[in-house]
Amino acid sequence: MATISITLPDNSSRELNEGASVYDLAASIGAGLAKAAIAGKINGQLVDLSSRLTDADRVEIVTEKSPEALEIIRHSASHLMAQAVKELFPQAKVTIGPAIETGFYYDFDVDKPFTPDDLERIEAKMLLLASADQKIERHEYSSVDAISMFEAMGEPYKTELITDLGVERVSVYSQGTFADLCRGPHLPSTARIKAFKLLSIAGAYWRGNEKNRMLQRIYGTAFVDKKELEAYLNRLEEAKRRDHRKIGRELDLFSFSDEVGAGFPIWHPKGAMLRTVLEDFERKEHLKRDYDIVVGPQILKSELWQRSGHYENYRENMYFTEVDEQSYGIKPMNCLSHMMIYKSQLRSYRDLPLRFFELGTVHRHERAGVLHGLMRVRCFTQDDAHILCTPEQLDAEIKGVISFVNDVMAIFGFEYEMELSTRPEKSIGSDSDWEQATGALLSALKDSGRPYEINEGDGAFYGPKIDIKLRDCLDRRWQCATIQCDFTLPERFDLTYVAPDGERKRPIMVHRVILGSIERFIGVLIEHFAGSFPLWISPVQAVVVTVTDSQIPYAQDVYRQLRNAGIRVERDVRNEKLSFKIREAQLQKIPYMLVIGDKEVEQGTVTPRYRDGKNLPAMKPEEFVDFVTKECKDYK
RNA sequence: GCCGUUGUGGCUCAGGGGUAGAGCAGCUCACUCGUAAUGAGCAGGUCGUCGGUUCGAUUCCGACCAACGGCUCCA
């Protein structure tokens, strides 16, 4: 019999009989590997274990430990779920069911939406089908045959998919009585799906288009083993515990009220203090980097919004009001007053770059279904700036913004990722504008030395942009900072500067935020720190607690002294046991509890207890002031 | 905006066609206490809003509002 030669990742080679599969290769290496194998990679291409090898292939065995394993397991789990649904609800039409970052989902077209009870039944069925050890087999068909096959099965979505694929041949994976159009690869058997859980039901549009029919989506997750599944489910629980809406209420930071209106947070004293600290920080950091602080009005004449194009493109999201027969638009963005400040005088190239910074509060009428705590609101404050510069300066300005973002994220301890979005199909501006701006963004990204991704065609119609997504301690990503180049506004408002040669030229405008919105950023901070904010941003940094009533006069003195020194201190001189007061301060996540008993009164000291339970040595109140001041200066 | 779920005192939740309960929080009193809950008593709700069915609705039905999980959109 003829043999073929296969090269392994370590560059060693093996001889196998012609027609051997990936599995045969694994088996020839070792029984253990054959058992652990779940798929293969032939010349870099993921394939099933049953795939045939040809001479001179480079082959890698994918096991549960491989990075690709999870995706395959989840994809197979989604097929298993579809099979379970079809068995329990034969009238359900299957559509698509991919693996996603946190698990998998499958969309079904059903007359009656699934209920939580259904979810349990489906999961139970899946367990049964998994343990049945059904072989998962791949078959290839011509598209024509596949279409008539799925037609016969009464699966119109599948035939639509095949038609749209526009290819000659498609692959179909089957297990038991269930068959699904799929590229693969998959596990060799359903028994290999060992740890999964269905999580939730949701509506989702067919092909993500809201004009299409709404399908019923079931989300689930799957892992290589039960232990990892448990770990993930625990992480979900932890996220629930850290939910900023819950902690926001517990720490009395903010609230929402039906009477005020959906999406309009009201900031309680402690939340407002937290904001104030962040805003002061921002002003300081912007001034350091040669930004000018500006302030514009909350409402501007509607004519101005017409000129900017917002009226045409953004009207649904805007609030309007009319006074003295004059229509005004409540600003959804801060750019217009910044434009007008630029235009208030003749600008020379010597004036540029101009960097206008505003903690601008904007109102946007977001669709009702998208509101989410502080993460998505209808009234929020952006740390917004518009940089107006010459084309030659663009490069340095973008780099400056990225290094600004980098500095700020380091202070808060966030990791982040960057994405460049390039020219979309519908866009304005010349080719050279786009080339230059995209080039500037790209070069700044390369310069940053950090990994970045490119989203082809995902930019705004008015210019390319960099989105920055920070990662919190649970590895979730949040869009906060963005840097956008804008060709429209300078054009529409006819912004110019006088160039060295005396010619009028058009400046380039960069729109950027660092934290994004104060609201969202605070939401992220709350979840990241689970409410235990670093000392420098804690709304309450310390609380003076007395052991008994006899220490009250001294405690009042200490409180006054710290307040006067600018420490955000509270006092708890209630007639309660110390342990009770400690507990309350602990639940409020106050960094320092300054315990005052007879000993402290005698010595004129306080004994700070940190919220981790450890005491600092007793110290004079002024020493504590120095300590906190120093820590805050270092952004601790 | 769309699909689904939910809406009972400040918070967490129980209950259910005959106008409502618990714990915590609050208030009062006693205890004067050294690092995560001292005890006792008191008070607090037109059961999201508006309609309908009914002798009678907080409970059943409908509409609206809001929240929650998603979709779409986004800082």
Side-chain angles (χ1 to χ4, degrees), chain A residues 165-186:
Chain A
L165 275 175
V167 293
E168 284 289 305
R169 296 182 72 75
V170 295
S171 54
V172 171
Y173 281 78
S174 63
Q175 57 202 54
T177 55
F178 176 76
D180 197 357
L181 172 75
C182 187
R183 183 167 0 118
H186 277 281

Side-chain angles (χ1 to χ4, degrees), chain A residues 262-397:
Chain A
F264 296 122
I266 41 186
W267 291 90
H268 301 200
K270 285 172 192 159
M273 178 54 79
L274 179 53
R275 283 182 65 119
T276 304
V277 172
L278 291 177
E279 289 171 1
D280 287 348
F281 165 74
E282 289 249 55
R283 288 195 193 92
K284 202 175 88 193
E285 292 299 319
H286 279 82
L287 290 173
K288 234 200 252 178
R289 290 171 178 79
D290 297 333
Y291 282 77
D292 295 314
I293 296 177
V294 298
V295 176
Q298 213 52 50
I299 63 175
L300 296 84
K301 283 187 181 175
S302 293
E303 286 82 5
L304 206 62
W305 296 110
Q306 279 160 13
R307 182 164 177 196
S308 68
H310 287 90
Y311 196 82
E312 199 188 319
N313 296 309
Y314 205 70
R315 183 140 65 119
E316 276 77 67
N317 282 299
M318 284 181 68
Y319 294 97
F320 290 93
T321 185
E322 196 177 301
V323 185
D324 289 345
E325 290 170 43
Q326 169 67 53
S327 169
Y328 292 87
I330 298 162
K331 67 171 173 177
M333 294 171 192
N334 303 299
C335 5
L336 293 206
S337 29
H338 298 192
M339 297 284 103
M340 300 315 285
I341 295 168
Y342 184 93
K343 272 179 80 74
S344 66
Q345 54 180 274
L346 184 61
R347 303 289 180 178
S348 150
Y349 73 97
R350 296 176 193 274
D351 300 328
L352 304 183
L354 280 169
R355 307 186 189 94
F356 296 142
F357 170 68
E358 177 173 8
L359 283 160
T361 300
V362 297
H363 291 75
R364 297 182 185 175
H365 185 82
E366 301 289 352
R367 298 163 98 183
V370 307
L371 301 176
H372 178 90
L374 290 180
M375 303 304 192
R376 195 77 182 274
V377 291
R378 285 177 171 161
C379 167
F380 59 101
T381 300
Q382 296 178 298
D383 58 337
D384 205 358
H386 295 93
I387 299 172
L388 292 139
C389 64
T390 67
E392 297 73 42
Q393 291 167 333
L394 183 61
D395 214 63
E397 288 306 310

Side-chain angles (χ1 to χ4, degrees), chain A residues 89 110-116 118 201 216:
Chain A
F89 306 88
V110 281
D111 294 331
K112 215 167 96 248
F114 298 115
T115 65
D118 292 338
I201 313 156
Q216 292 300 311

Side-chain angles (χ1 to χ4, degrees), chain A residues 1-8 14-29 40-42 47-59 61:
Chain A
M1 194 184 242
T3 62
I4 53 175
S5 173
I6 301 301
T7 310
L8 296 171
R14 282 192 102 78
E15 303 292 315
L16 291 165
N17 287 330
E18 201 170 12
S21 67
V22 177
Y23 178 82
D24 297 331
L25 171 66
S28 82
I29 298 171
K41 237 180 181 178
I42 302 180
V47 295
D48 294 312
L49 225 40
S50 58
S51 289
R52 296 284 169 88
L53 302 172
T54 48
D55 193 37
D57 278 343
R58 289 189 74 89
V59 182
I61 308 294

